[in-house]
Amino acid sequence: MSKITAAITAVNGYVPDYVLTNQELSTMVDTNDEWITTRTGIKERRILKGEGLGTSDLAAPAVQGLLEKRGIGPEEIDLIIFCTTTPDMPFPATANLFAHKIGAINAWGFDMQAACSGFVFGLATGAQFIETGMHKKVLVVGADKMSSIVDYQDRATCIIFGDGAGCALLEPSTDGHGVLDSVLKSDGSGIPFLHMKAGGSIKPASHATVDAREHYAYQEGKTVFKFAVTSMADVAAEVMERNHLTAEDIAWLVPHQANKRIIDATAARTGLSDDKVIVNIERYGNTTNATIPLCLWEWENKFKKGDNLILAAFGGGFTWGAMYIKWAY
């Protein structure tokens, strides 16, 4: 019997309509288009506007589009892995709220919290349920409403993040396509450099924490950048080396969209030319868990069955990882 692998059989994405440009940001904090573009590669990002709207509201249209593409109903989904840093609420899991929202009445689910590496971690986790034969259809969602935890008085962070959602459906394959390998890492010593100071059980919300603006993402940019450049590039190279892949064997590098200079460093480390590197950071900024699935969605029509893809991500905490996928359609 052929080995079962977890193949991506459909992808989709969604970004909200509101475009927050560098020009508009320059009216809010001391910055300008040239400064932002030079340091990050970002020109604009999308923001979810509207009272009472959360991360699941970004994910719903993305997943509904995926189901239509695949020609299946939500009741056919077995498992939802919802990768997010901005859950709708601390509990219950956004995966559970989301299953109810889309009518996935036969699915169980859970949230995956690995900061910007969440979608790669989620794909690797979902693949196990397919490979063991436990499930036939696993939905992996990467979605974040980063505008809900960004301090628009802090130019170190507000220029970087945007809102968006992407998703992928995993199904069994016996022809060698799908998730073939992954290298996943974490190191809690990175916590001080990228985290949210308050709102958890260590430091619950209070008047004092709100007044101190401690419910926003905090980042020490130089340290994070230095670690991300090395780590993301290293795991991408490692997953290629242990699968005996050269730059010529790779059709596409799908990197997390945090900073154009980090993307360039990862491409250089793997020996891949710019025309093989997927980049959309200039239009969406860093949508955290949504960056990689948004890239897959936007480039879907350029992928060919059998293409070798390398996914690479780095996130706060620190978390990082890379994955080797053979495209299935």
Side-chain angles (χ1 to χ4, degrees), residues 39-287:
R39 283 159 181 78
T40 67
I42 301 167
K43 285 286 188 183
E44 58 189 41
R45 64 291 290 148
R46 301 297 184 95
I47 303 296
L48 180 63
K49 298 279 190 176
E51 194 69 31
L53 297 177
T55 298
S56 67
D57 295 295
L58 291 163
V63 169
Q64 285 157 358
L66 178 145
L67 296 174
E68 288 169 16
K69 275 186 190 178
R70 189 70 186 98
I72 62 173
E75 70 283 351
E76 296 180 58
I77 301 297
D78 300 312
L79 166 64
I80 297 172
I81 303 176
F82 203 105
C83 312
T84 187
T85 303
T86 55
D88 281 11
M89 52 186 70
F91 75 91
T94 304
N96 293 3
L97 299 170
F98 186 69
H100 176 69
K101 182 171 285 190
I102 65 168
I105 56 174
N106 297 311
W108 69 285
F110 58 89
D111 290 0
M112 173 72 72
Q113 219 299 38
C116 298
S117 305
F119 186 77
V120 173
F121 283 25
L123 279 180
T125 304
Q128 310 305 308
F129 289 94
I130 297 292
E131 290 171 13
T132 60
M134 185 173 177
H135 291 316
K136 299 295 186 189
K137 289 180 172 61
V138 175
L139 178 66
V140 184
V141 179
D144 273 298
K145 184 186 175 184
M146 290 303 294
S147 61
S148 66
I149 61 167
V150 165
D151 184 354
Y152 287 96
Q153 296 180 19
D154 175 17
R155 76 168 185 171
T157 56
C158 73
I159 64 170
I160 299 168
F161 296 102
D163 302 339
C167 51
L169 183 66
L170 294 173
E171 296 186 75
S173 171
T174 54
D175 59 6
H177 295 93
V179 176
L180 300 184
D181 195 15
S182 57
V183 178
L184 308 174
K185 308 270 191 179
S186 63
D187 180 359
S189 68
I191 290 169
F193 310 111
L194 183 50
H195 65 285
M196 184 186 289
K197 295 177 183 294
S201 59
I202 293 174
K203 202 173 189 180
S206 67
H207 265 299
T209 62
V210 172
D211 291 345
R213 308 185 74 79
E214 291 182 337
H215 294 267
Y216 296 117
Y218 168 81
Q219 175 170 277
E220 205 170 288
K222 286 183 180 178
T223 305
V224 173
F225 176 82
K226 184 179 177 181
F227 204 98
V229 164
T230 306
S231 302
M232 201 162 112
D234 283 353
V235 286
E238 182 180 345
V239 82
M240 285 174 62
E241 286 163 11
R242 76 185 199 183
N243 289 280
H244 312 292
L245 298 166
T246 67
E248 287 70 39
D249 299 318
I250 304 303
W252 299 98
L253 172 66
V254 191
H256 169 52
Q257 310 285 305
N259 183 297
K260 183 61 166 61
R261 292 182 291 165
I262 297 172
I263 295 169
D264 291 343
T266 304
R269 178 81 165 79
T270 54
L272 289 163
S273 56
D274 289 347
D275 61 345
K276 289 186 171 185
V277 183
I278 297 177
V279 181
N280 60 14
I281 190 173
E282 74 281 357
R283 287 179 289 120
Y284 302 139
N286 182 353
T287 54

Side-chain angles (χ1 to χ4, degrees), residues 11-15 58 61-63 66 69 165-167 293-294 297:
V11 293
N12 207 50
Y14 172 79
V15 290
L58 291 163
V63 169
L66 178 145
K69 275 186 190 178
C167 51
L294 283 174
W297 168 55

